[in-house]
Amino acid sequence: MNRIILHIDLDSFFASAEEVRRPDIRGKVVVVCVYSGRTPDSGAVSTANYKAREYGIRAGVPIKIAKEKARGLDAVFLPVDKQYYQEVSNRIMDLIEEQGDRIQQASIDEAYLDVSTKADESWITAKKLAEKIKKKILDQEGLTCSIGIGPNKFVAKMASDFRKPDGLTLVRPEYVKEFLKDIPVIKLHGIGPKTASALEEMGIERAGQLASVDQAVLEEKFGANKAKLLFEKALGVDDSPVERQEKKQLGRMGTLQEDTRDPDRVMEKIKELALDLRERIKEKKVRFRTVSVIFVSTRLEDHSRSATIPETDDLEPALDATRKLVESFLSENPDMVIRRCGIRVSNLEYGGGQMTLEDF
Ligand code: TTP
Ligand code: MG
């Protein structure tokens, strides 16, 4: 069967997430940094928004150099806030999972989705689904992403990288070779810098050249196994499955009809979201011990409150706990007006097989 795989990757994720919660920095050069603490400017750039990249400021650049490049520009340097990005990421992964549960999260900001059956093996349907996911992520989280669609994970990943930010690139099986041919070998996912320079020394700079190089030459240089792998990359061959992991949490988010501080209104929305979540819990045959409520305020502040409950697969008793969480949160935060809210269960116990723990 022909497979159809989506690869979804958020654009300049940490920097864009900062722009979402801080409207005052939107449109500026935004640089998110990992400060090592030795001197005020020691450390490296974690990521930068696309505006910053125009000036050569990108992941890995030392902060000191990034500041030199940003001199005279309207630039903001911020420390990483991993907890916040993780929270946004969780919500987005939930949202993607709503569209199809053959999902493999590959990092904090990327996931593969196998839609082979869901899309009725139609590339048009897959493209529509990708557009829907892009729209949902934009509407609900204010973030853009780039999506690649291809017959396997490797091609999907290369396709999502092809046009960024806010791209959507579909590569049908018959165009894979053509699509890859001009891509520099260093950009082929899974080929490291050492291998890439060894190839370049041999005069092989692009995937097309790599695909047509004499097999014996490659084998002599890299050994049979590696040579095979290199050919596969050059030709876009990849049989690896989308490995559905057991998620560490399941949740649903929604926007309130009106901004509010009324616990009843918030609970109404949470109950509505819980209906959908309950279905997912049933489908996944999962039991949980933690229930959380997520709040996003009108000022786009991001909060959550959790409660531990006796292990259950029933959301009904958990809703009592969420009501208390909502009430106490609102009374602890008298100035906060809620725009969006959500419910999540975690500390999951899967009824079926083993749980694969992935530490993102
Ligand atoms: P990426 O998806 O590689 O980068 P990105 O989302 O910032 O930009 P792009 O539009 O090109 O996808 O990584 C996701 C996040 O991981 C990124 O926002 C910050 C973090 N990260 C680092 O902290 N250090 C790094 O070297 C890289 C590459 C990413
Ligand atoms: Mg990204």
Side-chain angles (χ1 to χ4, degrees), residues 9-13 109 164:
D9 190 314
L10 300 170
D11 299 321
S12 54
F13 177 40
D109 85 328
K164 251 184 170 294

Side-chain angles (χ1 to χ4, degrees), residues 324-356:
K324 290 196 189 101
L325 294 173
V326 169
E327 282 170 355
S328 62
F329 177 79
L330 287 168
S331 60
E332 283 161 27
N333 295 277
D335 299 327
M336 200 169 289
V337 181
I338 309 302
R339 173 161 296 169
R340 304 178 55 219
C341 62
I343 176 167
R344 169 178 304 146
V345 295
S346 55
N347 243 322
L348 305 181
E349 202 64 56
Y350 282 81
Q354 194 75 28
M355 176 170 179
T356 350

Side-chain angles (χ1 to χ4, degrees), residues 2-185:
N2 258 340
R3 292 195 298 157
I4 303 179
I5 313 290
L6 267 62
H7 180 259
I8 302 147
D9 190 314
L10 300 170
D11 299 321
S12 54
F13 177 40
F14 294 2
S16 303
E18 293 293 353
E19 288 183 78
V20 165
R21 68 169 166 179
R22 293 190 46 183
D24 58 306
I25 65 170
R26 281 181 209 160
K28 296 185 181 185
V29 163
V30 178
V31 189
V32 177
C33 304
V34 179
Y35 291 96
S36 69
R38 213 172 309 141
T39 70
D41 279 350
S42 53
V45 172
S46 161
T47 197
N49 64 358
Y50 277 78
K51 180 130 197 194
R53 293 182 199 189
E54 286 169 24
Y55 302 95
I57 303 169
R58 58 186 80 249
V61 171
I63 297 169
K64 207 161 154 254
I65 292 176
K67 286 203 169 159
E68 280 164 22
K69 289 180 191 280
R71 196 167 296 146
L73 301 171
D74 197 3
V76 206
F77 284 76
L78 301 167
V80 282
D81 179 353
K82 196 75 188 289
Q83 206 185 342
Y84 164 59
Y85 315 135
Q86 187 62 60
E87 180 58 38
V88 177
S89 165
N90 289 346
R91 294 201 302 256
I92 291 174
M93 294 301 157
D94 283 343
L95 189 156
I96 298 171
E97 191 246 4
E98 257 183 277
Q99 305 305 319
D101 71 348
R102 282 214 277 179
I103 173 181
Q104 177 181 358
Q105 187 173 350
S107 79
I108 193 164
D109 85 328
E110 58 179 324
Y112 294 96
L113 192 62
D114 185 335
V115 297
S116 305
T117 49
K118 175 139 183 143
D120 302 327
E121 288 157 60
S122 144
W123 292 83
I124 311 273
T125 322
K127 191 169 176 206
K128 284 199 186 125
L129 180 70
E131 280 162 355
K132 184 173 166 196
I133 291 173
K134 282 171 74 76
K135 185 168 184 314
K136 281 206 160 215
I137 295 178
L138 185 62
D139 289 352
Q140 299 200 14
E141 299 295 338
L143 293 172
T144 62
C145 66
S146 298
I147 301 187
I149 311 175
N152 59 50
K153 283 162 74 178
F154 172 76
V155 173
K157 165 101 181 163
M158 295 305 301
S160 75
D161 218 29
F162 184 68
R163 216 158 53 80
K164 251 184 170 294
D166 203 15
L168 174 50
T169 304
L170 186 153
V171 184
R172 290 168 187 264
E174 56 272 34
Y175 294 116
V176 168
K177 230 178 128 181
E178 175 69 20
F179 165 71
L180 291 173
K181 110 177 169 332
D182 293 326
I183 294 181
V185 288

Side-chain angles (χ1 to χ4, degrees), residues 225-240:
N225 288 343
K226 179 95 181 242
K228 179 169 175 275
L229 191 103
L230 291 174
F231 275 123
E232 285 178 354
K233 301 273 174 214
L235 294 167
V237 175
D238 175 15
D239 292 330
S240 66

